[in-house]
Amino acid sequence: MVTFPVLRPRRLRKSKLVRDLVSETSISQNDLVLPVFIKENINEPEQIASMPGIYRYPPNDKLINYLQDSYENGIRSVILFGIPSYKDDIASSAYDKNGIIQRAVRIIKDSFKDKIIVITDECTDEYMANGHCGLVKYTNGCYVVDNDESLKIHAKIALSQAEAGADVIAPSSMMDGVVRAIRDALDSAGYIDTLILSYSVKYASVMYGPFRDAAYSKPAFGDRRGYQMDPRNAFEAIKEARLDIEEGADILMVKPAHTYLDVIRLVKDHFPEYPLAAYHVSGEYSMIKAAAINGWIDEKTAVLEITTAIKRAGADLIITYYANDIARWIKDGVPF
C-alpha cells in the first residue's frame, strides 16, 4: 500500500485551481430553487423581521422585477407561498381561482412563459383560521386533523394551482395518501404532465419558526407532531419516501436540510433514481444570518460550506432563501 512520503494528499490541495480540478461536489445555479412569499392587499414588498433580507411581495410589478433580477442571477426555479387576505375553516382561499397563488402564477407565467419553473406549495396552513395542514374536527374531547377528509381539499387546491399554470405541485401537509389524491385529480383533469414534488420527509422541526412568522401560519392550538415526522426517526424516512413514489411523486424532498444531512443521504441511497430536493428552511437561514449580523461568522463562506454539504449529502435540488446570493457568488467564482 502506498503511503507517506510517496503519497502526499496535500498535493491535491496546494492551489485553488487544483482544488477546483479535483473537487467531488459542485453547486450550480440549476440546483437552486428560490422560495417567494406573496401577500394579498399590499403594494410594496414587506420586510420579514425574523428573516433579515427576505420580503413578502405583492402580486404586481414588484414581484416581477424581483424575479427578473433573480433570473439574471441564474435562478430558473421558484416555489411560491401565499398569504391570503382572509382565512376560514375550509381553506377556501387556497383553491379560489382568483386566490393569491393562482393570480401570482398567472402573472409570472404571463411575464416569463417557460423561462422559469413555477412550483406551488400546496397546503392549508396559510389559509386555515386554525393554522393546521388539514381539516380539523372535534372528537373525543379534543381537536384532530381529519386525514381522509383533508385529502379532498388538498386535491382541490392542487388542481386549482395546475389550472393557473403551475409547472410543479408541492404538497407539504404530510397527510397520508395526499400524493395519490393529487395525482388522481390532476390526471383526471388532463394535467398528466404536471409534476409532483412531494415533501415526503418533513420533520416536526423547531426550524420552521421564522416561516410561520412570514406566512402567519402558526397553529392556533396544539402542534403538528401528529402528522409531521418525529426528529428522532431516520429510517421512517424510507417508508415515507417509498409511499410517495408508489402514489406518483416525481421528485422527493427532505425538510429541513442542513440539520438532517444523514436523512438526505439515507433517502438518496435508497432511491437514487428519483430526484431529491432538500429545503434549507427559515430557521436554518435565520441562524446563519443572525450570526453574520453579529460578526460571529463569515456569512458567504458559511452559506457555501453548508449548501455544499447539502449537495454532498445527496440533494439534487436545494430550496434556499440564499438562492440569489449563492447564484451571484457562483458567477463570481466559488471561494473554496
Side-chain angles (χ1 to χ4, degrees):
M1 181 177 178
V2 180
T3 186
F4 179 84
V6 175
L7 183 62
R8 293 179 179 266
R10 285 185 56 187
R11 293 190 192 112
L12 297 176
R13 306 171 196 149
K14 68 179 184 178
S15 71
K16 184 179 185 306
L17 283 175
V18 172
R19 292 192 297 273
D20 288 347
L21 177 69
V22 300
S23 65
E24 299 173 15
T25 307
S26 61
I27 303 167
S28 80
Q29 289 98 329
N30 290 331
D31 301 330
L32 305 172
V33 179
L34 175 68
V36 184
F37 296 100
I38 306 173
K39 183 180 177 181
E40 270 185 316
N41 294 342
I42 61 172
N43 295 314
E44 297 291 333
E46 289 182 346
Q47 168 74 56
I48 299 168
S50 58
M51 299 178 69
I54 305 300
Y55 294 80
R56 305 178 190 94
Y57 287 89
N60 60 21
D61 61 320
K62 300 298 192 301
L63 170 64
I64 297 305
N65 292 341
Y66 174 62
L67 294 183
Q68 182 60 43
D69 290 343
S70 302
Y71 183 83
E72 291 172 4
N73 287 333
I75 300 298
R76 298 294 181 265
S77 302
V78 297
I79 182 166
L80 308 182
F81 298 91
I83 303 163
S85 58
Y86 70 94
K87 303 185 181 192
D88 56 28
D89 292 333
I90 56 172
S92 62
S93 58
Y95 53 81
D96 187 328
K97 291 185 182 299
N98 292 310
I100 182 62
I101 286 298
Q102 289 77 3
R103 283 189 287 130
V105 171
R106 289 194 292 268
I107 290 169
I108 294 169
K109 281 299 181 182
D110 284 347
S111 297
F112 292 94
K113 308 305 182 207
D114 293 328
K115 294 195 296 182
I116 289 180
I117 294 172
V118 176
I119 306 167
T120 50
D121 177 78
E122 185 286 306
C123 200
T124 61
D125 56 333
E126 294 111 306
Y127 309 89
M128 282 284 212
N130 56 46
H132 276 285
C133 298
L135 296 174
V136 173
K137 65 180 181 180
Y138 192 72
T139 303
N140 298 324
C142 63
Y143 290 100
V144 296
V145 174
D146 187 324
N147 187 97
D148 292 9
E149 284 300 310
S150 298
L151 298 183
K152 301 172 186 176
I153 297 293
H154 288 297
K156 197 171 182 178
I157 296 169
L159 182 56
S160 74
Q161 293 174 345
E163 289 172 344
D167 301 295
V168 185
I169 309 297
S172 61
S173 65
M174 288 297 288
M175 295 294 107
D176 293 340
V178 71
V179 172
R180 173 61 55 80
I182 289 173
R183 187 73 270 163
D184 288 349
L186 293 176
D187 290 355
S188 296
Y191 293 97
I192 60 173
D193 292 328
T194 301
L195 283 74
I196 296 178
L197 188 172
S198 180
Y199 289 64
S200 305
V201 183
K202 181 180 179 181
Y203 285 89
S205 172
V206 72
M207 295 294 172
Y208 308 147
F211 177 96
R212 291 172 185 172
D213 290 341
Y216 311 112
S217 62
K218 183 178 179 180
F221 53 84
D223 55 38
R224 296 176 181 146
R225 293 180 182 275
Y227 41 97
Q228 295 176 357
M229 285 179 59
D230 189 329
R232 295 172 294 184
N233 296 349
F235 293 107
E236 185 182 10
I238 301 169
K239 176 172 65 177
E240 289 284 2
R242 180 181 292 115
L243 284 169
D244 281 1
I245 289 170
E246 291 171 353
E247 291 175 19
D250 301 288
I251 306 171
L252 308 174
M253 185 199 295
V254 172
K255 177 185 179 183
H258 96 242
T259 44
Y260 288 83
L261 296 177
D262 60 321
V263 179
I264 294 172
R265 172 46 56 192
L266 186 66
V267 173
K268 191 61 179 178
D269 283 349
H270 276 79
F271 307 105
E273 71 275 28
Y274 279 84
L276 179 61
Y279 196 152
H280 191 237
V281 300
S282 60
E284 295 172 316
Y285 168 88
S286 293
M287 286 195 302
I288 300 169
K289 184 63 75 170
I293 290 171
N294 282 281
W296 299 334
I297 198 169
D298 181 86
E299 183 176 23
K300 181 178 181 180
T301 303
V303 170
L304 290 169
E305 181 176 342
I306 290 167
T307 307
T308 299
I310 295 167
K311 182 77 182 293
R312 189 182 66 239
D316 302 293
L317 311 174
I318 302 170
I319 303 170
T320 171
Y321 299 97
Y322 275 112
N324 269 309
D325 298 288
I326 296 167
R328 284 191 294 266
W329 295 334
I330 290 171
K331 288 167 69 174
D332 293 340
V334 179
F336 282 137

